[in-house]
Amino acid sequence: MIRQSMTIAAVLVSLCSLGPLPSWAETPQEKGLAIAVEADRRDSGFGDFTAEMRMILRNRHGQESVRLLSVRTLEVEGDGDKSLIVFQSPRDVKGTALLSFSHKSGPDDQWLYLPALKRVKRISSANKSGSFMGSEFAYEDIASQEVEKYTYRYVGDDSYEGVDCFVIERYPVDPDSGYTRQVVWLDKDEYRVRKIDYYDRKKALLKTLTFKGYRLYIDRYWRADEMYMVNHQTGKSTRLLWSGYRFRTGLGPGDFTRNSLRRAR
């Protein structure tokens, strides 16, 4: 994601000065890549941000549980983002924290701090497709979605909820990814992600992530108020409600170390 792009957030994902696609975008692969590069270019330069998040887990019977989290993200020049997610409530998960270092090439680094065990656990590449704290987001969904993590193909144009969109497919480079492909709808006006369909290792539709309530921050960066992930195979869903965005707060690398996991609040 978690610039929201997912970014988590990255979603996650993630977007401002208008401009046409490069003229070299001719084949479906070139045009798909050009769209992804343009979306990434529009979200570059934000520096860092903090936000609060309300996570609502819903099982197939409609029962819900709610968790409150804080999120901080640092943009890293020449590499992927660093992010720290800390659970604030309820009591049984309070203090649990996930530190993610996204990379443009090679596997991401992720560590999970479990306060009950007072132990930092490294998330191995083989487990990146696992559920993040019982949600419908996988660990790989939480890290920022760098352009280099995928190959691309432009599928066509479509209208999603009355908005004209590009539709592209992206294929994970990482062989440990839990997905064979993702289909992404981005609006043509601002290159904001509107919807993502995720296909599992058997090439079956697994999940759909939708974005609502985009707001513009510091005159350039778009962030959605709501991200909703539904698992089509289990009937479960996770809704993320974002608030309290603050950009360029002065965070630095020292706020994103393994030691910061233990003292995170």
Side-chain angles (χ1 to χ4, degrees):
M1 234 164 26
I2 241 180
R3 279 187 196 188
Q4 269 201 340
S5 85
M6 83 197 183
T7 31
I8 272 161
V11 218
L12 300 232
V13 47
S14 309
L15 315 163
C16 199
S17 56
L18 296 173
L21 292 175
S23 58
W24 50 264
E26 296 176 348
T27 70
Q29 290 74 23
E30 290 170 341
K31 187 168 181 176
L33 174 60
I35 292 169
V37 169
E38 177 64 11
D40 184 69
R41 185 189 70 79
R42 294 179 181 219
D43 198 46
S44 297
F46 64 85
D48 67 78
F49 72 79
T50 64
E52 286 76 52
M53 184 166 66
R54 184 179 180 90
M55 173 186 282
I56 304 172
L57 308 177
R58 184 181 177 92
N59 66 22
R60 66 173 63 193
H61 305 295
Q63 298 167 319
E64 293 185 347
S65 58
V66 179
R67 298 170 176 180
L68 301 181
L69 305 88
S70 61
V71 179
R72 62 185 70 162
T73 295
L74 177 68
E75 189 176 30
V76 179
E77 186 174 356
D79 200 0
D81 299 343
K82 296 182 177 182
S83 65
L84 179 62
I85 301 173
V86 183
F87 285 77
Q88 305 294 341
S89 70
R91 180 178 297 179
D92 62 336
V93 294
K94 184 175 182 179
T96 300
L98 177 70
L99 177 65
S100 298
F101 291 1
S102 298
H103 301 299
K104 291 181 179 296
S105 62
D108 297 334
D109 294 306
Q110 290 181 303
W111 300 269
L112 183 68
Y113 176 62
L114 301 169
L117 302 177
K118 297 182 179 178
R119 187 167 73 91
V120 175
K121 172 186 175 185
R122 185 182 181 89
I123 308 298
S124 70
S125 296
N127 290 329
K128 296 294 175 61
S129 61
S131 167
F132 171 58
M133 294 296 289
S135 76
E136 297 313 305
F137 289 85
Y139 285 100
E140 65 181 300
D141 302 332
I142 300 299
S144 65
Q145 304 298 296
E146 305 300 324
V147 172
E148 294 82 354
K149 288 183 173 181
Y150 302 93
T151 59
Y152 299 87
R153 187 174 75 90
Y154 169 70
V155 176
D157 297 339
D158 192 16
S159 177
Y160 175 70
E161 295 191 335
V163 178
D164 291 336
C165 292
F166 298 114
V167 184
I168 62 174
E169 288 184 337
R170 59 187 188 190
Y171 306 89
V173 173
D174 186 349
D176 289 322
S177 174
Y179 310 118
T180 50
R181 69 180 172 115
Q182 300 171 15
V183 184
V184 185
W185 282 253
L186 301 99
D187 65 59
K188 293 185 176 181
D189 287 340
E190 303 290 353
Y191 289 71
R192 297 168 296 199
V193 176
R194 296 285 184 161
K195 174 183 170 184
I196 306 174
D197 282 340
Y198 297 85
Y199 290 81
D200 65 15
R201 290 170 177 166
K202 296 180 180 178
K203 301 182 180 181
L205 178 61
L206 175 61
K207 303 184 296 188
T208 296
L209 176 62
T210 52
F211 299 72
K212 289 184 177 179
Y214 272 106
R215 296 176 187 262
L216 185 63
Y217 294 88
I218 56 173
D219 296 325
R220 174 166 180 176
Y221 303 105
W222 292 97
R223 294 292 183 272
D225 286 345
E226 178 178 336
M227 300 167 68
Y228 179 66
M229 182 79 89
V230 59
N231 187 316
H232 301 290
Q233 299 182 8
T234 66
K236 298 179 181 178
S237 65
T238 299
R239 191 182 305 276
L240 305 180
L241 302 176
W242 295 78
S243 62
Y245 273 106
R246 296 174 60 225
F247 284 79
R248 297 172 181 166
T249 64
L251 294 173
D255 297 301
F256 298 87
T257 65
R258 287 183 59 175
N259 286 335
S260 67
L261 277 169
R262 298 177 185 273
R263 62 174 187 266
R265 294 289 186 273

